[in-house]
Amino acid sequence: MLLKSAIVCCFVGLLLVSQTFAQKSPKYAFIVQNTKFDNDSWYKTGDLGSISESGQTISNLLTIQGFTNIVVRRNLTSAEFRNALNKFISNLPKGATCVVYLESHGNKVHDNSGDEKIADPNQKDTDDEVFVCKDTPYQSKSISTSKITDNKGTF
């Protein structure tokens, strides 16, 4: 509960600051809430129960802040995620204020391209981070050997 409160407090603070800069621009939000997974092993990494409704909480907070274009998607496969995000991006008007909120497990995979080290040579963490979708394989090796993280266009 404390983590959820901290996330919401930080988010509200960011919204209040950003509201000053985005009074007249159209406001769009893309919220993905992945709490169900095809591979049961993801459940062993931690229960998302304490934040399982944070997507709705964020949506409610955004509505209060004047966001009228809010897309909420739940339990997406990787293909569904890519399609939904691409559709969302393609419908954004120029100058829009945009919030993207992702709720799920995350994972680190080997950075095959080396772009993490190039971006910040002093960085000790040189892995790519991935957002876990409903169909994401549990074994990191199955992700990294496909080199999917090297093509930033596929996210």
Side-chain angles (χ1 to χ4, degrees):
M1 186 63 173
L2 182 60
L3 176 61
K4 182 178 179 181
S5 297
I7 291 170
V8 171
C9 287
C10 289
F11 187 76
V12 170
L14 287 172
L15 280 178
L16 293 175
V17 170
S18 67
Q19 186 178 14
T20 306
F21 300 104
Q23 289 291 332
K24 296 183 181 180
S25 65
K27 298 178 180 181
Y28 287 74
F30 181 71
I31 299 170
V32 177
Q33 185 175 347
N34 282 353
T35 57
K36 300 200 183 312
F37 308 97
D38 291 345
N39 187 318
D40 290 340
S41 295
W42 284 114
Y43 295 109
K44 296 174 188 171
T45 63
D47 180 20
L48 291 174
S50 62
I51 61 167
S52 65
E53 292 304 318
S54 68
Q56 186 60 52
T57 302
I58 298 301
S59 178
N60 293 343
L61 290 169
L62 289 169
T63 300
I64 292 168
Q65 293 295 319
F67 281 74
T68 56
N69 305 292
I70 301 173
V71 175
V72 179
R73 300 292 308 270
R74 290 178 175 82
N75 302 316
L76 301 178
T77 64
S78 54
E80 291 168 336
F81 176 76
R82 281 191 296 276
N83 291 336
L85 185 59
N86 282 328
K87 181 179 178 182
F88 176 77
I89 291 169
S90 68
N91 290 324
L92 285 174
K94 186 175 181 175
T97 297
C98 177
V99 170
V100 175
Y101 178 80
L102 305 175
E103 172 188 327
S104 184
H105 285 292
N107 200 12
K108 291 185 174 193
V109 296
H110 177 72
D111 174 27
N112 292 311
S113 68
D115 65 335
E116 294 290 329
K117 195 69 171 170
I118 292 168
D120 184 359
N122 298 320
Q123 181 174 295
K124 294 192 185 338
D125 172 15
T126 57
D127 290 336
D128 283 325
E129 288 76 23
V130 296
F131 175 71
V132 175
C133 292
K134 185 176 192 248
D135 61 343
T136 301
Y138 185 70
Q139 295 296 327
S140 295
K141 288 183 179 181
S142 61
I143 298 171
S144 61
T145 55
S146 69
K147 297 190 178 190
I148 196 165
T149 59
D150 293 340
N151 181 352
K152 302 308 179 199
T154 59
F155 359 98

